[in-house]
Amino acid sequence: MELWTPSSDKPASRAALPPGDLARQLAGHQLTTAEILYALPDYPQLLQTYIWQEYDVAPKFPLLGQFIAFWQRDIEGRLHRVTVSVREVLGDARFTFYAAEVEVNN
């Protein structure tokens, strides 16, 4: 069985990016989490969970699509359901200000 890494099947949009999460976020990638429910051939009635997380481009999700293709090609577990959630990590900074005084070095 071959191990899958995002660098093994690079889509064109990812290949041009420098390494680093910030560069991907600035290029429009969002933190994508997929909960994969699958069943192994030995116990088809027992569903197991695999969590996949990577920076990907919504709504087409090219990296997730490549991972699902890898799964169907190289892993014996039959897919039951894939649930995808996306979080945009970059955004407005949120601050909460409190009216208080703190004495430092009395």
Side-chain angles (χ1 to χ4, degrees):
M1 178 171 80
E2 175 187 339
L3 293 177
W4 185 86
T5 59
S7 60
S8 64
D9 295 326
K10 289 184 182 179
S13 62
R14 184 174 174 127
L17 293 175
D21 295 341
L22 181 60
R24 283 185 235 148
Q25 292 175 46
L26 291 173
H29 290 65
Q30 298 171 326
L31 186 61
T32 303
T33 304
E35 178 188 27
I36 300 169
L37 292 178
Y38 66 97
L40 292 175
D42 297 343
Y43 301 98
Q45 68 277 15
L46 177 66
L47 293 179
Q48 300 185 46
T49 303
Y50 181 82
I51 302 295
W52 178 90
Q53 192 172 55
E54 183 65 53
Y55 286 96
D56 208 351
V57 180
K60 294 190 178 187
F61 303 110
L63 287 177
L64 179 58
Q66 289 176 0
F67 180 74
I68 296 297
F70 163 79
W71 185 290
Q72 292 175 329
R73 182 182 65 240
D74 293 336
I75 297 179
E76 293 180 9
R78 194 191 73 199
L79 293 176
H80 175 72
R81 180 177 66 209
V82 178
T83 306
V84 179
S85 63
V86 177
R87 180 170 191 293
E88 188 172 333
V89 179
L90 286 182
D92 297 338
R94 308 234 184 252
F95 294 100
T96 304
F97 294 100
Y98 296 96
E101 290 184 21
V102 178
E103 288 187 27
V104 179
N105 297 330
N106 293 338

